[in-house]
Amino acid sequence: MQVDKILIIDLGGTDNGEIARELRRYLVYSEVHPHDMTAAELAEIEDVRGVIINGGPNREVDGVLIEPSADILALDVPFLHTGYDGYPDLPVNLQERAKLLNEFVFDTCKARPNWTIENFLEWKTAEIREEVGDRKVLLALSGGVDSTVLAALLGKAIGDRLTMIHVNTGLMRKNESEHIREVFDAHFPGQLIYVDASDRFL
């Protein structure tokens, strides 16, 4: 599945995560990579529409100013350079900053705003299917947000090849393990192994 991407190469910037989050708010996927990323590594990432090289106060490492690799700069993709070697920082003014990023992402890079929850689910389930292949998966299920979301993604991707184990330690909130059991038995019939080990922990 195609999801347009803007990569941010960290050249000592302190706002890389902030830039990535801002681009995602525009529904364009973005991720941060280290300054020594190679062109070969970048080429392995599909659908890269542009690269932001973001300098900043942490650019000096062991007394040496870090630079983007020459093979990265030679790539035939649009670049936005900020905060190093004479390039200005991103504007502090939010409207000016948004205008600059929008023009780069949508006008220069021609990226499409296709980072949606539907595309995310399709992308992640495809990744899981490729990684798992025809094997089975055993998931330790706490019932928290992380394991529950992972269970939902795995269930969508590989169906009944998913088996989950939930251990009732007796240390959770009252009746919480029983509730987890009911919910997952309803949505994943026969795929949850429920272990009552409360006697061992209490």
Side-chain angles (χ1 to χ4, degrees):
M1 190 208 69
Q2 192 174 54
V3 176
D4 290 355
K5 303 176 184 70
I6 302 293
L7 303 188
I8 300 167
I9 294 183
D10 177 13
L11 212 65
T14 57
D15 56 351
N16 300 300
E18 181 183 334
I19 297 169
R21 287 190 295 273
E22 188 163 353
L23 298 186
R24 291 172 191 166
R25 285 197 294 271
Y26 304 154
L27 301 183
V28 176
Y29 182 72
S30 179
E31 57 189 26
V32 180
H33 291 270
H35 75 278
D36 56 356
M37 182 184 198
T38 66
E41 291 170 334
L42 192 151
E44 292 179 357
I45 303 173
E46 296 181 348
D47 305 315
V48 174
R49 297 293 179 235
V51 177
I52 297 173
I53 300 182
N54 188 43
N58 298 325
R59 189 177 161 215
E60 186 174 315
V61 177
D62 296 329
V64 178
L65 291 177
I66 56 176
E67 300 284 352
S69 64
D71 59 346
I72 287 281
L73 295 176
L75 292 173
D76 185 23
V77 294
F79 285 93
L80 175 62
H81 302 270
T82 69
Y84 78 102
D85 292 356
Y87 294 109
D89 294 335
L90 285 175
V92 175
N93 180 279
L94 295 181
Q95 290 183 332
E96 293 177 3
R97 180 187 181 98
K99 182 175 184 293
L100 176 64
L101 289 175
N102 267 278
E103 288 176 350
F104 175 69
V105 170
F106 296 115
D107 297 341
T108 304
C109 299
K110 308 298 182 187
R112 295 165 299 170
N114 55 9
W115 178 239
T116 62
I117 187 61
E118 293 81 11
N119 281 348
F120 172 79
L121 291 173
E122 185 180 341
W123 180 21
K124 286 302 175 184
T125 52
E127 281 188 346
I128 291 169
R129 289 189 189 107
E130 182 177 355
E131 179 70 23
V132 173
D134 59 359
R135 293 172 293 178
K136 297 180 180 180
V137 172
L138 180 64
L139 173 66
L141 180 76
S142 69
V145 173
D146 292 343
S147 64
T148 298
V149 170
L150 182 55
L153 285 171
L154 285 166
K156 182 177 175 64
I158 63 172
D160 61 7
R161 288 185 288 128
L162 168 66
T163 298
M164 296 162 286
I165 296 179
H166 175 74
V167 178
N168 180 358
T169 63
L171 301 175
M172 300 177 75
R173 287 171 292 188
K174 184 178 180 180
N175 298 326
E176 187 170 9
S177 281
E178 289 75 11
H179 177 68
I180 291 168
R181 182 181 189 178
E182 291 174 5
V183 169
F184 280 86
D185 276 345
H187 288 86
F188 299 89
Q191 292 177 251
L192 176 67
I193 299 172
Y194 177 86
V195 179
D196 187 352
S198 54
D199 289 344
R200 301 184 187 181
F201 290 88
L202 296 177

